[in-house]
Amino acid sequence: MFKDVFDFNNIKGDVTGGLVAGVVALPLALAFGVQSGLGAIAGLYGAIAVGILAAIFGGTATQASGPTGPMTVVSAALVANAIEVAGSLQDAMGIILLSFFIGGALQIVFGLINIAGYIKYFPYPVISGFMSGVGLIIIILQICPFVGLDSAKSTLKVMADLPRLFSDVNWKALVLGGMTVVIYYLFPKINKAVPSPLVALIAVSVFAYFIQWDVPIIGEIPSGLPSLQLDGLFTIDPSAYFLVLEYGMVLAVLGSIDSLLTSVIADNMTKTKHNSNRELIGQGIGNMVAALIGGIPGAGATKGTVVNINSGGRTRLSGTLHGAFLLTILLGLSSLAAFIPLAVLAGILIPIGFKIIDLKGLRHLKVVPRADAAVLILVLLWTTFGSLIQAVGIGVTLAALLFMKRASDIGEEGMQAGTLAGFDGEKPWEDELDFFEKFKDQIYIKHLYGPLFFGFTSHFQNQVKNIDEGVKILVIRMDRVPYIDQSGVYALENAILDLALKNIKVVITGLQEQPKDLLTSIDIIPDLVPETQVFLHIEDSFNWVRTHLKGFE
């Protein structure tokens, strides 16, 4: 295992990637730690433990892991509930850290029993609604710190407290927060090499320190290596066990989804293939150790991973160095972080909250099937103003019920709902035989059967990635597809985008009314597949293919 960790074949790129990813992670770790309710140091501890251990033991060579928005929002909800049960933060620490520890342990179990193979079946509206809700929670909970006020721990209480913003606002904190947001968005237009969150954090904090404005700051941060937090970890009140298991499970599931989505992004950027089960095991180890030293849990961080890859990182050494960089900050410069204004951290987190919101999913609410739109909105609102755990459970249950209802309706209408066959060995239909024999080395003909629901997405995208390099055109037959939902249409969109990167043209034939309306509504037709490549009959598509292939002869 350690042989691929200490792979020095790309030493320059890995060092650069790891250091840049660490620089990006620093302000986020501090900000997420504060938002969790456990303090900036908890964010730094979590970033170090998860960053180093997930890189060593995980299944994605270029993954940069640490506290993320979704994991922090769940952690903050846990902290608030644990304090309500125990009476104080000190008395609640056993509940909190044991929940973090159980979450990591469950991730290891998930990896060992191949639960990653099932996580991919989460419907798009559920994930979209949940992530957008998490983004809104981050924004809402940072409104008060942005203007220098103490913040309630729930979104409903913050909303009820909004009138206080107009009477008690600390205008100095508001100026600092505003400066942070401006630098966050404008600095990349000047220089993209240096992360704008770090520039905003340092520049505005230094300004506030020298001008001596009276604004809330982080306060004292411990320096040196963290100590084990074992006191009370396994001696909590039995009445809190359900809370521990509840939040441990949601942290495990959310952390797994968050990490695997980032792993897919890393695969697309590096043209590699991650090991899903090993990735969950690595994340679980990192989160268990983070809990033992008082750190908040984390997952694969998309921004840090992308920065790592773009800066040259290609092996596990880069992710390990990313965590090691944060460790050196803890040992040498943590005392300086005490003077960072909370308004500055709010100015960093609010733009991050907006980035987490799934604008694509929200923008298409009017055109996707009503059932998908209803599930997305319900999960979003329940996540934002209710229980995150209940939101996911209700969303998945509703999506499953709607799937069964629609499948039943289609069955009653006499439609075929077969399974998807792979490209390899898929037999041509009778009306394709002559054409297929002549052009089989240059084209694929993919037959899709039945309604394209959320269970179809991952399977189809994996098939597309395995298309031979010599193929120039993919013909997708949708004669027998009566219905497509939001998850299915986005899977089709991503597959077409992947094919475009390989210079493979896509031809669609036999579109029925509902799939055609949806593909047109979200601009897959004509933006990704021109109308000249969409045909009602298969023979018309073959004529287009014959003409197009002449250009390659």
Side-chain angles (χ1 to χ4, degrees), residues 125 129 362 365 371-383:
L362 296 176
L365 280 177
D372 288 341
V375 170
L376 193 156
I377 293 172
L378 178 62
V379 173
L380 188 157
L381 293 176
W382 208 295
T383 299

Side-chain angles (χ1 to χ4, degrees), residues 66-80:
T68 64
M71 294 292 278
T72 302
V73 166
V74 176
S75 299
L78 165 63
V79 171

